[in-house]
Amino acid sequence: MKRIGIDVGGTNTDAVLIDGETVVAAIKFPTTADVMQGVVNAIGHVVKAQPPGASPVDAVMIGTTHFTNAVVERARLERVAAIRIAMPAGASLPPMVDWPDDLREAVNPLSYMVHGGHEYDGQPLVPLARGEIRDAAMKIRDAGIDAIGITALFSPLTAEGELEAAEIIRSVIPNARITLSHTLGRIGLLERENVTLLNAALQGLGHTTVEAFKNALRKAGIDAPFYLTQNDGTVVLADVAAANPVYSFASGPTNSMRGAAFLTGLKEAMVIDVGGTTSDVGCLVGGFPREANNVVEIGGVRTLFRMPDLLPMALGGGTIIDPQTRKIGPRSVGYRITQEALVFGGSTLTTTDVAVAAGLVEIGDRDRVKHLDRDFVADLLKRIAVMVEDGVDRMKTSADGVKLIAVGGGAFLIPETLKGAAEVLRVEHAGVANALGAAMAQVSGEVDQVFSGMSRDKAIAEADRVARERAVQAGADPKSLVTLDTEDIPIAYLPGDARRVRVRVVGDIAFMKDQQKQAS
């Protein structure tokens, strides 16, 4: 089974070709303004590494920062309409009340709060105001908006209000792209509404990005189904991913973590992914990234949905060092490292310059940093070590030493020994671990919701059934599905033996003819 894995980062675009579990070729290109041409070039390089007459590629997995960048840059976002079904209880704080002003202006929302929603015990708060929803839909249609986010009070417990509202809106706006909050978020109205509206604002970009990648693959001569990576370390069919672009947030570091697991064979370890601008520290649990179970900010917006538990640090290969104060970061030269770093003839002192001066890596012209004082370099390396040790310590769940896998293009910055780490592991192809993680990824299906009115066994069985159904829709082979983890928590304050059930299943990708047609 041949796969191409691609990870498009802010600094570099990495690509690998694997045959089974053998790495056939790997390449790292600087990310250019024309991202898609960079993808074409990367694919072309790894495909040329095959012998003449080699079998075609079976699948392509792509990880991208397009959606995260759009939120951070406040660019390429669609105008959205927000419908909150929570009146009269949810009237005090309007939608997007806690968003940064510039991001709210970029989305320029139309907001409507209507009567309806449910209590915490699943009982209706007030009857659903269908007329109010229809009136809102007509105003949204007249404004020319087709990206809509619907959030109802306690919808993760009872989703019927959101589902009925969506039917009413589609009867008025047939082509509406609707995001329902219960499919993404958890209990917590504002945080769930926030991720719903972010998703709605990104769906247009999701579809255009997928089409652009399809065209790039055609241009590269690849006729195979392709997938986008998600932030739980798995992949999903690209057209399915376009509907939920928020699941691609932080997929780059999770790709690296999955790649680290593949390269080392470890399922329980800590991973530090050192890029050109930042480093991310995370933990592997069962071979997959540990999931965060608290509020995560994205572009200044508080969200509560499926996200990896990561600690970002302002340490990368292009991190700028002040030679006077010896302060490391937080600014970075990023993709301009080949113009601005000392070893490339620039005038900016970076962490890469220090690593070259110390003999840790051979990059650029070492003679350009031979003037750096040995004690100065040693002190900076100690400061870098302290930064990494602090990050490892903050992510540990026990005082025991952990195995730390160093991956990423800047992995040479990680010392051989660290306090709190039993061992620092370095592996071949660590520089393209993110692309390898994408190439080796499986397909997942997940359920995280509250069930009531049924026994514990029936609730878990129903969650498992839905998770498997979602995995198949995302492109998994139903025969390969296995349950990765199951968790249920009784909720004492809800009637009907209510419990929150979370089930995640994973499986291998299915090479079906309709998928191949979809990619062609």
Side-chain angles (χ1 to χ4, degrees):
M1 183 186 299
K2 288 185 179 178
R3 305 184 189 185
I4 291 177
I6 302 170
D7 189 274
V8 183
T11 304
N12 291 300
T13 294
D14 300 338
V16 298
L17 171 65
I18 61 172
D19 190 350
E21 295 191 355
T22 302
V23 179
V24 177
I27 187 66
K28 182 183 289 287
F29 280 117
T31 297
T32 59
D34 186 352
V35 172
M36 298 307 164
Q37 186 58 46
V39 170
V40 171
N41 294 340
I43 291 175
H45 178 89
V46 295
V47 169
K48 286 178 183 177
Q50 297 185 102
S55 59
V57 173
D58 295 305
V60 179
M61 283 75 171
I62 301 176
T64 177
T65 58
H66 272 62
F67 309 122
T68 305
N69 292 346
V71 176
V72 172
E73 297 169 7
R74 284 39 172 162
R76 304 179 299 282
L77 300 171
E78 280 195 282
R79 191 181 185 195
V80 302
I83 295 181
R84 181 191 292 176
I85 307 171
M87 291 289 281
S92 59
L93 297 174
M96 300 188 187
V97 65
D98 58 345
W99 286 37
D101 292 340
D102 57 349
L103 181 56
R104 191 186 306 108
E105 290 170 5
V107 174
N108 189 19
L110 273 183
S111 298
Y112 300 94
M113 293 190 283
V114 303
H115 287 77
H118 290 79
E119 299 276 13
Y120 68 88
D121 61 357
Q123 296 300 312
L125 177 68
V126 295
L128 181 66
R130 296 172 179 82
E132 294 179 17
I133 295 172
R134 183 171 294 276
D135 289 343
M138 289 189 288
K139 292 176 182 177
I140 293 168
R141 178 197 60 194
D142 293 343
I145 299 173
D146 56 13
I148 303 167
I150 303 176
T151 308
L153 199 62
F154 286 108
S155 61
L157 281 67
T158 308
E160 61 188 45
E162 291 185 359
L163 294 171
E164 188 170 352
E167 289 182 9
I168 294 171
I169 291 170
R170 285 198 178 95
S171 70
V172 178
I173 315 173
N175 296 324
R177 292 195 301 273
I178 299 174
T179 302
L180 304 181
S181 77
H182 75 273
T183 65
L184 294 176
R186 299 168 181 166
I187 298 295
L189 180 66
L190 291 181
E191 292 81 9
R192 177 161 40 88
E193 183 176 62
N194 284 345
V195 73
T196 301
L197 298 177
L198 281 176
N199 194 77
L202 287 165
Q203 279 189 333
L205 178 62
H207 290 290
T208 57
T209 298
V210 166
E211 285 303 313
F213 278 130
K214 283 183 180 179
N215 291 333
L217 292 177
R218 289 193 194 100
K219 191 174 180 180
I222 300 294
D223 180 17
F226 89 98
Y227 301 72
L228 291 185
T229 62
Q230 300 191 101
N231 58 18
D232 64 348
T234 63
V235 293
V236 64
L237 279 168
D239 287 330
V240 177
N244 293 306
V246 293
Y247 279 150
S248 291
F249 290 164
S251 62
T254 57
N255 289 342
S256 294
M257 295 179 69
R258 287 287 289 153
F262 165 68
L263 289 169
T264 62
L266 295 176
K267 293 185 178 296
E268 311 289 329
M270 190 170 289
V271 179
I272 182 165
D273 176 24
V274 189
T277 303
T278 60
S279 296
D280 291 285
V281 185
C283 295
L284 288 170
V285 178
F288 286 85
R290 186 174 71 196
E291 189 173 314
N293 199 27
N294 54 2
V295 171
V296 176
E297 281 202 4
I298 300 167
V301 177
R302 288 167 53 87
T303 66
L304 184 57
F305 75 121
R306 186 190 76 197
M307 284 287 285
D309 187 9
L310 297 172
L311 176 67
M313 300 191 303
L315 175 66
T319 298
I320 298 172
I321 298 174
D322 187 327
Q324 303 302 320
T325 63
R326 303 189 181 185
K327 181 182 178 183
I328 301 171
R331 294 188 303 119
S332 169
V333 296
Y335 66 88
R336 301 185 309 276
I337 188 170
T338 53
Q339 289 83 41
E340 298 192 18
L342 297 182
V343 292
F344 292 108
S347 59
T348 305
L349 178 64
T350 68
T351 51
T352 294
D353 297 317
V354 172
V356 172
L360 300 179
V361 64
E362 290 294 332
I363 296 176
D365 185 356
R366 188 173 182 181
D367 287 341
R368 295 182 182 275
V369 292
K370 65 182 181 181
H371 65 281
L372 296 179
D373 181 75
R374 184 177 299 179
D375 292 337
F376 173 76
V377 170
D379 179 62
L380 289 172
L381 291 178
K382 286 181 182 179
R383 290 170 181 255
I384 291 172
V386 170
M387 291 177 66
V388 177
E389 287 170 352
D390 180 62
V392 170
D393 191 55
R394 289 172 62 184
M395 291 299 288
K396 289 171 63 175
T397 56
S398 72
D400 298 335
V402 296
K403 290 185 177 181
L404 178 68
I405 309 169
V407 297
F412 53 80
L413 293 173
I414 307 304
E416 294 294 335
T417 58
L418 288 167
K419 294 178 182 177
E423 185 180 3
V424 177
L425 300 174
R426 302 180 189 278
V427 290
E428 188 181 7
H429 303 302
V432 291
N434 47 5
L436 279 169
M440 293 300 298
Q442 295 174 292
V443 182
S444 72
E446 184 177 6
V447 170
D448 186 353
Q449 68 185 66
V450 175
F451 293 85
S452 61
M454 61 180 70
S455 67
R456 175 179 181 271
D457 290 342
K458 286 185 177 180
I460 292 175
E462 175 63 13
D464 189 79
R465 182 193 68 78
V466 175
R468 289 172 179 267
E469 187 177 273
R470 291 179 178 176
V472 173
Q473 291 173 350
D477 179 355
K479 296 179 181 179
S480 70
L481 291 176
V482 295
T483 302
L484 191 64
D485 49 52
T486 302
E487 178 184 14
D488 74 294
I489 304 173
I491 305 177
Y493 56 83
L494 294 183
D497 195 24
R499 62 187 63 247
R500 174 188 172 189
V501 182
R502 178 178 174 272
V503 174
R504 184 154 64 119
V505 302
V506 296
D508 297 329
I509 62 173
F511 297 107
M512 298 183 292
K513 291 182 180 179
D514 57 341
Q515 290 182 22
Q516 293 173 347
K517 290 178 183 178
Q518 179 186 41
S520 62

